[in-house]
Amino acid sequence: MIRVLVVDDHPVVRRGLRAMVEDLPGVTSVGEAADGAAALDLLAGLPAGQRPDVVLMDLQMGAGMHGVEATRRLTALPDPPAVLILTTYSTDADILAAVEAGATGYLLKDAPPEELAAAIHATARGETVLAPPVAARLLGRVRAGRPSLSPRETEILQLLAEGLPNRRISKRLFISEATVKTHLVHVYDKLGVDSRTAAIAAGLTAGLIRPPER
């Protein structure tokens, strides 16, 4: 079972999301929180076997810690959960801030339950999930200045999208981990990003790499 934590400042929305999550196949809820700080506190108090695999995170949460900062802190933990943004906000600034903070996916709250279920499962596998309107926005930004990656950089980014860590990429391509890291530095620079998830998202929306097979 994929364990999910729901973070939203609206009690009715939060409880509705939690009920929806508990009805999804292969998914269970481990709790809910009204803002990012409460989510971090709850996570710290859970035993290792009960910690969430995926956090459903709203972006704007009143006076509490907002979703971007909470995402940044969650993904900086030693064994972090994946963060799936679920919000009504879809401006370029919101999308990029969330992705740069380390969010693995970005969905809008009007997504149907089956799309949410698929997104949770994909996020738990480490795959990048973007709602079509969000992907379109990112694609528009990338096309405005489409980057050009070398064949080796594209190959490494593709393996990154398939969930391989640097060590496995180095073994697959018969190069050192240091060389992999050097290529990734170049990839990040060309794509204008500073995280693995953001690089994958930019590569996918620009059509530089293929979506990972499920």
Side-chain angles (χ1 to χ4, degrees):
M1 295 288 284
I2 298 171
R3 298 181 297 274
V4 174
L5 171 65
V6 176
V7 185
D8 195 293
D9 65 329
H10 295 286
V12 174
V13 173
R14 187 170 67 246
R15 289 165 191 165
L17 284 173
R18 185 172 181 179
M20 184 187 298
V21 163
E22 291 174 347
D23 283 340
L24 297 177
V27 180
T28 187
S29 170
V30 295
E32 58 184 68
D35 63 28
L40 288 162
D41 289 343
L42 190 152
L43 190 67
L46 287 174
Q50 296 178 22
R51 291 178 182 173
D53 303 299
V54 176
V55 175
L56 287 184
M57 180 74 71
D58 192 12
L59 281 183
Q60 304 297 334
M61 289 181 280
M65 183 188 295
H66 57 77
V68 170
E69 179 60 24
T71 297
R72 185 176 294 112
R73 295 195 188 191
L74 283 169
T75 55
L77 294 173
D79 186 19
V83 177
L84 174 59
I85 301 296
L86 186 63
T87 185
T88 56
Y89 299 89
S90 61
T91 67
D92 290 359
D94 289 324
I95 295 166
L96 291 174
V99 171
E100 291 292 348
T104 304
Y106 197 113
L107 279 187
L108 301 181
K109 284 183 177 176
D110 59 1
E114 58 271 18
E115 186 176 334
L116 176 59
I120 289 173
H121 281 273
T123 302
R125 293 192 297 267
E127 298 173 11
T128 297
V129 178
L130 296 173
V134 173
R137 282 182 175 275
L138 288 177
L139 181 57
R141 290 180 66 93
V142 173
R143 280 178 173 166
R146 186 184 178 105
S148 176
L149 302 183
S150 72
R152 178 62 90 188
E153 290 166 352
T154 302
E155 191 174 21
I156 289 174
L157 184 58
Q158 180 66 54
L159 293 175
L160 204 68
E162 293 171 6
L164 272 66
N166 290 356
R167 179 171 296 181
R168 288 184 60 191
I169 293 175
S170 71
K171 290 182 178 179
R172 177 78 66 87
L173 301 180
F174 302 101
I175 58 178
S176 69
E177 280 191 69
T179 300
V180 172
K181 291 178 181 178
T182 298
H183 281 302
L184 286 176
V185 168
H186 295 157
V187 169
Y188 290 1
D189 183 59
K190 289 181 179 180
L191 297 180
V193 300
D194 60 8
S195 73
R196 298 167 74 93
T197 298
I200 293 167
L204 287 170
T205 54
L208 300 173
I209 55 175
R210 306 180 308 277
E213 294 182 2
R214 297 182 181 178

